[in-house]
Amino acid sequence: QPVLTQSSSASASLGSSVKLTCTLSSGHSSYIIAWHQQQPGKAPRYLMKLEGSGSYNKGSGVPDRFSGSSSGADRYLTISNLQSEDEADYYCETWDSNNWVFGGGTKLTVL
Amino acid sequence: QVQLVESGGGLVKPGGSLRLSCAASGFTFSDYYMSWIRQAPGKGLEWVSYISSSSSYTNYADSVKGRFTISRDNAKNSLYLQMNSLRAEDTAVYYCARVSPEVDYWGQGTLVTVSS
């Protein structure tokens, strides 16, 4: 079963860009993942599905400022032109053999 | 638009039971796998269970296996989670989610508190 590793926290300034990382465990580097955003006090929201090739498909209404990319076992979420509402927890997710797994989440602070 | 609305949460004593429901709308419910995912207070997301579109297949996290049962009624566009032998560590917000195969829609969640 795959394991997803995320940094616990990240920070960046208003209007800048930030790149969050989700790393797949050994033997699972080709897996597709999904990114989710959870703003304080709210339910999670689906952002995108991201393949190992770097190809991604965003959910309905997700701003153009959000993009995805991949390198080996690493899956990235890049947020450009950071806004105050981007301050949130970000989770990656993957699945295998009818089991679903979430990373521990990254808490993003917008300075 | 896709809507998932959970209900049935509340306060229950350790060892007790609770049944969660999720009403789905805005999509063809019978075409999709569905899942329950939970989040303990101040913690991350934990997948709990999934059910295939026709109820042929289910699976559970080890932490709930043997105690929780997922089911669905496609005629009523509804998903359920029967939770038995509840423990303090089951205290969490429980989210209903559409799966395709990633989670692509979430409900707003329902809080389950297990305490004496």
Side-chain angles (χ1 to χ4, degrees), chain B:
Chain B
Q1 70 283 21
V2 172
Q3 280 201 313
L4 300 169
V5 180
E6 302 93 335
S7 60
L11 175 63
V12 61
K13 289 182 167 53
S17 297
L18 213 54
R19 188 195 196 207
L20 305 183
S21 299
C22 171
S25 61
F27 65 103
T28 305
F29 181 71
S30 58
D31 284 349
Y32 288 87
Y33 287 15
M34 298 294 293
S35 270
W36 287 99
I37 295 156
R38 68 185 181 183
Q39 186 171 37
K43 301 296 185 183
L45 301 170
E46 179 190 17
W47 170 76
V48 172
S49 180
Y50 106 100
I51 186 167
S52 63
S53 54
S54 60
S55 303
S56 298
Y57 302 101
T58 61
N59 200 17
Y60 301 88
D62 288 343
S63 57
V64 307
K65 204 168 285 186
R67 300 188 297 122
F68 289 11
T69 302
I70 192 171
S71 62
R72 65 191 294 162
D73 185 336
N74 286 346
K76 294 183 178 180
N77 290 342
S78 293
L79 176 72
Y80 306 102
L81 186 68
Q82 178 66 44
M83 304 186 294
N84 297 332
S85 303
L86 282 161
R87 306 166 180 168
E89 54 265 36
D90 296 318
T91 293
V93 174
Y94 285 73
Y95 296 102
C96 164
R98 192 179 85 168
V99 176
S100 56
E102 77 277 17
V103 171
D104 64 354
Y105 283 96
W106 298 78
Q108 87 289 348
T110 188
L111 175 63
V112 172
T113 303
V114 184
S115 174
S116 54

Side-chain angles (χ1 to χ4, degrees), chain A residues 87-111:
Chain A
E87 185 159 292
D89 294 325
Y90 291 85
Y91 294 92
C92 53
E93 169 217 352
T94 194
W95 54 95
D96 179 28
S97 301
N98 296 332
N99 286 281
W100 277 256
V101 176
F102 289 91
T106 296
K107 184 177 186 63
L108 175 63
T109 300
V110 178
L111 304 171

